[in-house]
Amino acid sequence: MQLTDFMNENFPNLELRPPLFYSWNIGMRFELGVEWKREDDYPNNPYVLGCYQRAITLFESMHSPTEDIFVVLDVNDFAKGKNLRRQLKNFSPYVDKSLLFKINHQVLPYIFPEDDEEGTFKTHRFILKCKTADFKYVPLLKAICNQDLGLKPSIFHRVYFINISRKTIFHVYDDRGCDLLATSTETIRNLYKRYNVWILDYDRQRIDQVFN
């Protein structure tokens, strides 16, 4: 199954772009980073370790090693393709080299057209279908959390993990939080109960209404 077919069948009319939580009626928004302090700008400080721990825990709760997933990487191109050749390097640290040949590349209109008055920007979408165990998700999740903290390694592109069998979408947008979408409340009800304290308070009322 291709990503487009999967999305049309299970998440019709949903566009893969942030903020996902506000674009679908079944989902949760979790807070990853808590109690950040100005002095917490060094590697492996308590704040960032807390971000890592929550992101990894939530991911592993929704993706077993043998399940098929789509890993989607969106790269915004502002230089008319000049830097595109280097973008596959964003995948290479996290998968075996043999899997790089399976990556599907799509050129899309810029994901945020409201910010592209001249219509010259493009979004390059790289899609890899693999098993969860094939992907080094731990360092990738850490790199996503690092993007706004001045820590290395970091990745600034949007990454979506789509579980094919469970029909869920998991997106860590940065150290602040992540979105989890599903086609059924029952698929993610266990996470709602187990990690309820991690739910972002700003959206808690809306999320409680979905599950209660």
Side-chain angles (χ1 to χ4, degrees), residues 26-27 41 53 100 103 210:
I26 300 174
D41 59 355
Q53 189 264 336
L100 295 177
I103 294 175
V210 171

Side-chain angles (χ1 to χ4, degrees), residues 21-77:
F21 173 76
Y22 300 111
S23 301
W24 191 249
N25 58 349
I26 300 174
M28 290 179 282
R29 173 160 276 200
F30 292 99
E31 185 176 21
L32 298 181
V34 294
E35 298 182 0
W36 179 82
K37 300 176 183 178
R38 175 64 63 181
E39 57 268 26
D40 287 345
D41 59 355
Y42 57 91
N44 296 323
N45 65 70
Y47 173 84
V48 76
L49 288 178
C51 293
Y52 296 162
Q53 189 264 336
R54 288 191 179 192
I56 294 168
T57 299
L58 291 169
F59 180 92
E60 291 180 341
S61 297
M62 283 306 304
H63 306 85
S64 68
T66 59
E67 288 179 327
D68 290 320
I69 63 173
F70 290 112
V71 183
V72 182
L73 173 71
D74 279 356
V75 178
N76 292 328
D77 178 27

Side-chain angles (χ1 to χ4, degrees), residues 118-135:
E118 298 181 1
T120 57
F121 301 155
K122 299 293 182 183
T123 295
H124 294 266
R125 174 163 289 172
F126 298 94
I127 306 164
L128 175 63
K129 183 180 179 182
C130 62
K131 301 289 185 184
T132 303
D134 294 332
F135 210 88

Side-chain angles (χ1 to χ4, degrees), residues 3 7 15-18 20 71-78 84 87-88 90-91 103-112 122-128 140 144 147 155-162 171:
L3 175 64
M7 293 296 295
E15 185 178 359
L16 276 181
R17 58 169 286 180
L20 285 178
V71 183
V72 182
L73 173 71
D74 279 356
V75 178
N76 292 328
D77 178 27
F78 307 110
L84 186 59
Q87 299 308 338
L88 277 179
N90 291 300
F91 257 116
I103 294 175
N104 178 262
H105 173 218
Q106 300 176 357
V107 181
L108 308 174
Y110 186 47
I111 293 294
F112 299 98
K122 299 293 182 183
T123 295
H124 294 266
R125 174 163 289 172
F126 298 94
I127 306 164
L128 175 63
L140 178 57
I144 296 170
Q147 62 180 273
I155 185 169
F156 294 88
H157 309 302
R158 292 181 304 279
V159 182
Y160 306 95
F161 298 95
I162 302 174
H171 175 231

Side-chain angles (χ1 to χ4, degrees), residues 1 5-7 9-12 14 24 26-27 62-63 67-70 161-170 180-188:
M1 175 178 286
D5 296 331
F6 175 87
M7 293 296 295
E9 180 178 337
N10 298 286
F11 293 92
L14 175 68
W24 191 249
I26 300 174
M62 283 306 304
H63 306 85
E67 288 179 327
D68 290 320
I69 63 173
F70 290 112
F161 298 95
I162 302 174
N163 190 308
I164 296 173
S165 59
R166 301 195 197 197
K167 299 180 176 59
T168 58
I169 302 175
F170 183 74
L180 174 63
L181 274 56
T183 58
S184 168
T185 55
E186 296 312 305
T187 304
I188 57 176

